Every structure is written in structure tokens, then in C-alpha cells.
Amino acid sequence: MAAPDSRRSLSADARDVVLVDGAFSAVPRNLTVTRPSSPVPTMDFSLISRPTSMVQANGDDHQIDYFEYGHDKSCSFFPSPSSRSRFDRISPCRSAKGLLPRLWDALSSPGKKGKAKANYIITTFDYSELPPLDGEEGELIDEACYIDALAVTGIDILSRLPPEIALYLLLFLDLPSILACLSVSKRWRTLAADNGVWKELFYQKAGWQIDLDRAWVRGWDGMRFVSNSTPSIVGGWISRTPSFGGESRFTVESRGRRRVTALLSPQPAISTSASFGSMTLAPGSLAPLSLDWRPLYKARLELEKRWVSGEPRVTRISGHTDSVYCLEFDSSRIITGSRDRSIKVWSLRTGRLLATFRGHAGSVLCLKFDKDWDVRPESEDKDGLRKGFMVSGSSDCSVCVWDLYSSSGGGKRGSIASGLTAGEVRAEVKAVLRGHTGGVLDLRIDGEWIVSCSKDALIRVWNRETLSLHTTFRGHEGPVNAVGLQAGKVVSASGDGKMMLWDILSGERLRTFEGHDRGLACIEFKDDLIVSGSNDCKIKVWSATTGECLRTLVGHDLLVRALSFDPPTGRLVSASYDRTVKVWDLNTGKMIREFRNSHVSHIFDVKFDVSRIVSTSHDQKIVVLDFGQDVDTALFV
């Protein structure tokens, strides 16, 4: 250990530093004591002497003085003869009093001036008599440095930084690290509890998103806004994600995807006239960036845990008089098609029947609609109604195109002019697309195309704007039971056991996938992944780019009839004729959950969102498995 006075030399030349045992740190040389290199055992060290200039005459006797390192005077270290693996400090002169009485008397005599400093005698050994090292002693360090621990002090860098920079550093930490920061000190707790830190933690999770526009229109009460008592350093507005817009607007970003845009407001009060989307944010209302992200994170995490081990609340909806073949749902309603030739609209929250449509002469086998159409401001017409779009396919070989209408504001308020009360839906057949010669088994839509497939082994692509036939794909040898649509590409799954990838603009077949042992019944096409279900009871995951089968999921006992897949979270839900609904993690290929008692007959369709699974069956029931009971999930998508 260096002498205390060496602490005053901290301002020495920064170049005069040494490495500590080869570690990635350096210490001023004047704070270290360096042991000389170990002697070579083959040499005889029976006599050790210092240079003549260091020998001080003391009468007729000569004594060995101390060695000097820098400004500090310390004793030397040599191996003890009793142990090769231990370095023992050389005893001061008192230990040699019996051997050198004259020298001891001279050093301890009060008559000798200038000898108040402590002197040490170096005992010598013959290292040639020691056995050679056999390697069991471990690695010896010849240049050890001894650091004055009192001279090295920790610095709370985070507390000394400006709060904006300190918060920005915390944005790079994960949840366990943030929780640890909460326990360090009051200052750290204040920083780690900041709203912006928890917002970043929320968006670090794959697939975690919010939709404030939708929640507000649906009647969300806004109680998650930050109160004045919530600790916040910079108002929770700091983020690693980029922002866009002018000085008066701010865009909340989630991994580069635009989520919410709203006016900023310096006042924390909530105004009843505040709104988002097409409505104007009133003065004094709260900005979306003041959402209280910590309870949002907690609620979302609780929801994820329930998907793994929680018991969902089961709701069974009755109303159809025959098998329910297909379903779609959004944040407020479920729409189903049945063998009873009707399409019904149900309240997702209460299960109440909102509307019944009839337009087909046969069973309604498939349908798709623009979800949450009454949330988008551009969908409002001059009468205050919100207009949506839906297509349905039937065993009568036709595709019906529907205009859907709901009251402005969706579930929040009604429209007197339209005669629709809150949440009610009205539908009108806009057109009927004909061309298939067999039942229309599946449909897909996007902003540009309508894709239909049929028992006639054909896939037809229609222009959504003009409703004219754009192209027809031929190549399958059996009925095309399902299709997928994404970015101008179509994937078709057939009873002939094959999948095919098509390009809409060129009309060419790009690839054929083969691997299932029997016919295919369902398909999902999202990102670069294609997920298929078959009569061989297997689920396969494919790369659309390479055509390679990436994974095979085994677990169902009968035909896999329906699939629903969410790429950001890797969650897949499957339904089968074996009456089970299974939840899978596609990242690991493992089955997470299985629900066996939802239906008493074959399951025909299944869909899920962030908090629920909805399925339909031959038993004429619609079953909702809700994992979000007692949790406010209005903001989550």
C-alpha cells in the first residue's frame, strides 16, 4: 500500500502511469509500489548489496539503508524460504536483534541524529537450494502493483450529468437495470421513474404498440394521463426514436412506424373537447406524450403473462342457426358468416347482436372488411356517417362487395340524421363479382386488390377501385382452399397439397412449395413468412423468398382448419377439427397453450388480437377467450 503522502501526487504527469496487473486501468506511478522481478533460482544470492552511492557511513560500521521508490520509502519484498507460493514482508531490525546487536544499538541510539526514519535489514537466501517449480503453484506475477484504495474514489456520473443526458443514457437499459436504478438513490430513482424512460421500455418489447386515436374514438376516458404528482424530469418527451413535424406538432414513433400525431400543450389539464384524428385538440388539453407509461407497461406485461399461464374469461355467443364458417373482428365488433346464409355483426365487448345482413343465396364461407373503419377521419361522409368496406364469398360462387355504415364516432355517440344509434352498423351490397364456377372458399383484400379463390381451382384478382377483373391464376389441380396477399404477391394453398406464389402485376408463378403429405386447408402470409395448415395435421412455416421450410409444428390430431399469425410477437394461433385451439411461439416452435373445451364440434375459423382469441365452429357458437379482464387494454394493439 502506498504511503498516505503519495495521494498528493495525483496531479503528476498523466504519462507517468502503469497498468494494474495487465487490466484495462492505469494508476499514477507515484501511487504504486512495484516489487522487483523474482530472482532466477539458479543464481546464488548469498550477498545482496546496494550501489556504493546508497551506503551511508556510520562510524566504522556500514549499514544497509532502505530502497527508495519515487517519493515514498518502503520495504522490499522477497520470497520466504518456508513457502515458494507466498511473499513475506522482510522483518524490521528488531527481528534481527539477536543476530546483529551492534547494528541494532546503533540504529536505536537516541544519540544518533538524523536516524529517526525506519530502516530495514534485507535477509538473503540461497535460491539454488529450492526445488524447481512444477507448475502447480499457479502463474506468478512479477510486477504487482499495490494501489492506495483510499486515493481512488467513485463518482456518481449520472447525477452530475444534465438531466436530459442522464435520461438519454437510461433509455438504453432493460427492465432489470431500470428496476435496479430505482433502488440506488433518490436522484437515481427520480431519473429511472421518468415517463420517457418507461415509454422507451414499452417500445423495446417486440410487438408492443398503442393506438391513441382509436382508443379515444372508442370512448376511452383518458385516465392514464400523467398527473402533476407524477415524477418527470423533462415531461416524458425524451426518446431515442425520431420525431417529425413542426414546432407545434409531435409524432410518437415506434421503431420507425408512425403511431400518433397531436398538438403539444404546455398545460396538464384534460379538456372534454380534446380529441385526436379529425378532431381538434382544444387549448389546455393534454398531449399524447404525457401518457403515463409506467402503468401502461405494467398492464401490458400482465397481459403477456396471462397469455402464457392465465385463465381467460370465456364468452359464448349464440344467434346463428347453422354452422359459423368465418369471422373477422376489430376493436369494437365481430362480423361472422354462416351456413344459414347470413352475415351478423356483434358487439365485441358485450356480445350483443348489432346487425344482420343477407345478400348471398348460399352459405357464407368467407369474408373480410376494413377494420376500425369508423376511426379513420377520411371515412366520414357529408351525413356524418363513417363508411367502411367489406367483401364476402359464398357457395353460390359469387363475391359480394358491401358498403358498411356506422355512426360518426363509432361507439362513442350516435348520428340522428342516419337513425343509427351508438355502435350500430348498416350495410348495402355495392356490387357482385362473378366469374368463379365453384364456391368461393377464401378472400383477401388490401388497398388495391381483392383476391378470391374457389373450388374451381382458380385464383382471381380484382381491382378494388373499379371492381374489374385484373388477372386469373391457373396451376392448381384441386380446389384452392386459402389465399394470402401481401405487397403485390399472392400465395395460394390447394387441396392438391401444393402452395404457389404469384406476382399480381406480371401474372407469373414465382415458386411452388411442396412438403405437406396431404391437402392444404389454410394459409397465412405476412412479412417473409408463410404459415400453412394441412389435412396431415401439421403446420409448416416457410420462407417466401427461398421457398425453404423453416419449421414444422406437430400437435393437432385432425385437419388444421384455421391459422392466425402476428409477426412482431411471433405468436401463432391454430384451430383444428380436433376441437382444440392452440397457441404457438414461432420463434421457438413450442406450443404455449391449448384450449380443449371451447367448442363441442369442428372449429372452422380463429382470429386473435392483443388480448383475446375468437373462434367459430360447427356447433353454431362464437367463443371469445378474453385475457384482458380487469386490465385496461383500450390503447393496446
Side-chain angles (χ1 to χ4, degrees):
M1 185 69 70
D5 60 338
S6 64
R7 304 185 198 116
R8 294 190 294 269
S9 302
L10 289 173
S11 61
D13 192 343
R15 295 172 297 179
D16 189 23
V17 296
V18 294
L19 291 178
V20 180
D21 290 348
F24 294 101
S25 60
V27 177
R29 193 178 299 279
N30 60 351
L31 294 183
T32 67
V33 177
T34 306
R35 184 183 67 256
S37 302
S38 301
V40 181
T42 58
M43 297 181 64
D44 184 3
F45 284 80
S46 58
L47 177 61
I48 299 180
S49 62
R50 59 183 173 172
T52 306
S53 61
M54 298 182 66
V55 178
Q56 298 181 356
N58 186 13
D60 296 331
D61 301 324
H62 293 275
Q63 68 179 23
I64 299 178
D65 201 2
Y66 51 82
F67 289 98
E68 187 168 322
Y69 294 90
H71 301 286
D72 189 22
K73 299 175 181 179
S74 307
C75 58
S76 299
F77 289 75
F78 289 95
S80 169
S82 61
S83 175
R84 301 190 309 274
S85 61
R86 187 179 74 244
F87 294 100
D88 295 331
R89 189 167 184 168
I90 302 303
S91 301
C93 298
R94 66 177 66 92
S95 65
K97 184 175 182 180
L99 300 177
L100 303 171
R102 290 181 61 195
L103 186 58
W104 172 256
D105 291 339
L107 294 174
S108 61
S109 174
K112 304 294 182 180
K113 296 182 180 181
K115 300 298 180 181
K117 51 192 174 183
N119 297 322
Y120 297 89
I121 295 298
I122 300 176
T123 307
T124 61
F125 309 108
D126 185 0
Y127 286 87
S128 63
E129 298 178 359
L130 298 177
L133 299 177
D134 56 7
E136 294 183 355
E137 289 77 9
E139 182 180 355
L140 298 179
I141 302 175
D142 291 333
E143 298 293 335
C145 295
Y146 300 89
I147 304 172
D148 185 355
L150 297 178
V152 182
T153 58
I155 299 176
D156 186 355
I157 299 178
L158 199 65
S159 297
R160 296 192 178 190
L161 291 173
E164 294 82 2
I165 298 178
L167 286 175
Y168 185 75
L169 294 177
L170 292 181
L171 299 182
F172 292 87
L173 301 182
D174 56 9
L175 179 63
S177 301
I178 293 298
L179 295 178
C181 290
L182 291 171
S183 304
V184 173
S185 64
K186 290 183 179 179
R187 176 63 174 175
W188 282 53
R189 183 175 184 85
T190 302
L191 291 168
D194 186 79
N195 209 26
V197 173
W198 287 91
K199 171 182 175 289
E200 190 66 27
L201 280 176
F202 186 94
Y203 283 120
Q204 282 179 7
K205 294 288 189 177
W208 286 25
Q209 301 177 29
I210 67 167
D211 192 332
L212 186 57
D213 287 339
R214 188 193 70 182
W216 194 277
V217 172
R218 292 284 181 244
W220 181 66
D221 57 13
M223 294 304 293
R224 287 194 183 278
F225 284 114
V226 177
S227 65
N228 291 333
S229 60
T230 303
S232 182
I233 304 298
V234 290
W237 293 351
I238 189 169
S239 175
R240 283 195 293 142
T241 54
S243 60
F244 303 90
E247 295 180 354
S248 62
R249 301 188 71 84
F250 192 96
T251 302
V252 180
E253 293 291 318
S254 169
R255 296 290 180 266
R257 295 185 296 272
R258 181 181 182 276
R259 298 306 309 157
V260 177
T261 302
L263 298 175
L264 293 178
S265 172
Q267 300 183 21
I270 300 176
S271 172
T272 55
S273 62
S275 60
F276 303 94
S278 64
M279 296 172 281
T280 303
L281 195 66
S285 59
L286 197 65
L289 287 177
S290 291
L291 284 172
D292 198 349
W293 288 94
R294 190 171 179 179
L296 279 174
Y297 185 97
K298 183 178 180 181
R300 189 66 175 84
L301 188 63
E302 173 63 23
L303 196 58
E304 288 297 304
K305 292 179 180 178
R306 293 184 182 184
W307 272 91
V308 176
S309 58
E311 288 301 321
R313 180 177 59 194
V314 181
T315 301
R316 290 180 171 85
I317 302 174
S318 301
H320 282 290
T321 58
D322 211 329
S323 301
V324 186
Y325 284 131
C326 55
L327 78 97
E328 290 290 327
F329 76 98
D330 59 13
S331 63
S332 65
R333 60 184 69 85
I334 305 171
I335 302 182
T336 57
S338 170
R339 190 181 180 187
D340 64 11
R341 305 181 182 183
S342 71
I343 298 173
K344 292 183 180 291
V345 183
W346 316 83
S347 168
L348 180 63
R349 186 174 61 87
T350 65
R352 180 173 65 94
L353 179 63
L354 301 177
T356 300
F357 314 139
R358 297 185 182 276
H360 287 288
S363 302
V364 181
L365 303 177
C366 52
L367 62 85
K368 291 290 182 292
F369 72 95
D370 284 338
K371 298 179 180 180
D372 291 315
W373 76 82
D374 51 344
V375 172
R376 302 191 315 275
E378 62 271 17
S379 66
E380 186 169 355
D381 63 14
K382 62 181 181 180
D383 296 326
L385 293 176
R386 298 289 179 91
K387 186 169 72 171
F389 180 86
M390 182 177 71
V391 293
S392 59
S394 169
S395 59
D396 63 10
C397 308
S398 69
V399 175
C400 283
V401 180
W402 304 77
D403 282 332
L404 302 177
Y405 297 93
S406 66
S407 59
S408 180
K412 196 171 182 180
R413 59 183 181 268
S415 172
I416 297 177
S418 65
L420 294 177
T421 59
E424 288 188 347
V425 179
R426 189 181 70 200
E428 296 176 356
V429 176
K430 179 180 180 180
V432 178
L433 307 181
R434 304 187 184 277
H436 286 292
T437 58
V440 179
L441 303 178
D442 198 14
L443 289 164
R444 288 292 188 274
I445 60 173
D446 63 10
E448 189 174 2
W449 309 107
I450 302 171
V451 180
S452 61
C453 63
S454 169
K455 284 185 177 181
D456 60 12
L458 301 179
I459 303 104
R460 294 185 181 272
V461 181
W462 316 78
N463 185 292
R464 174 166 168 167
E465 182 67 25
T466 64
L467 301 181
S468 61
L469 181 64
H470 175 76
T471 188
T472 300
F473 297 133
R474 295 176 172 86
H476 286 290
E477 299 173 355
V480 182
N481 294 318
V483 287
L485 170 65
Q486 182 180 230
K489 302 292 189 300
V490 174
V491 175
S492 56
S494 171
D496 61 10
K498 298 178 182 179
M499 288 193 310
M500 295 183 182
L501 179 65
W502 312 82
D503 182 85
I504 291 178
L505 294 180
S506 67
E508 297 179 356
R509 183 172 63 187
L510 304 178
R511 181 171 286 106
T512 299
F513 305 80
E514 296 184 82
H516 282 288
D517 300 325
R518 301 182 68 180
L520 282 76
C522 53
I523 198 170
E524 280 280 275
F525 179 27
K526 295 180 180 178
D527 291 348
D528 186 49
L529 295 179
I530 302 172
V531 186
S532 58
S534 169
N535 197 21
D536 63 8
C537 311
K538 298 175 183 177
I539 300 169
K540 289 184 178 289
V541 184
W542 312 78
S543 168
T545 301
T546 65
E548 176 187 4
C549 181
L550 305 176
R551 196 181 297 276
T552 299
L553 309 180
V554 179
H556 283 293
D557 299 324
L558 294 175
L559 177 145
V560 181
R561 181 63 173 83
L563 296 167
S564 186
F565 173 45
D566 180 44
T569 61
R571 182 172 294 146
L572 170 71
V573 176
S574 61
S576 169
Y577 280 178
D578 62 10
R579 308 177 188 180
T580 66
V581 172
K582 298 180 187 294
V583 182
W584 310 80
D585 181 0
L586 280 194
N587 297 321
T588 63
K590 296 181 179 180
M591 183 178 67
I592 302 174
R593 299 292 300 272
E594 180 182 54
F595 302 97
R596 287 190 166 273
N597 300 318
S598 299
H599 294 279
V600 296
S601 188
H602 299 337
I603 301 176
F604 289 130
D605 204 358
V606 68
K607 297 291 186 296
F608 76 96
D609 66 3
V610 67
S611 62
R612 59 183 63 84
I613 300 173
V614 184
S615 57
T616 61
S617 169
H618 182 62
D619 61 12
Q620 306 176 18
K621 298 292 191 297
I622 304 146
V623 174
V624 180
L625 304 178
D626 186 5
F627 298 94
Q629 65 272 19
D630 304 322
V631 176
D632 186 0
T633 62
L635 288 174
F636 303 147
V637 292

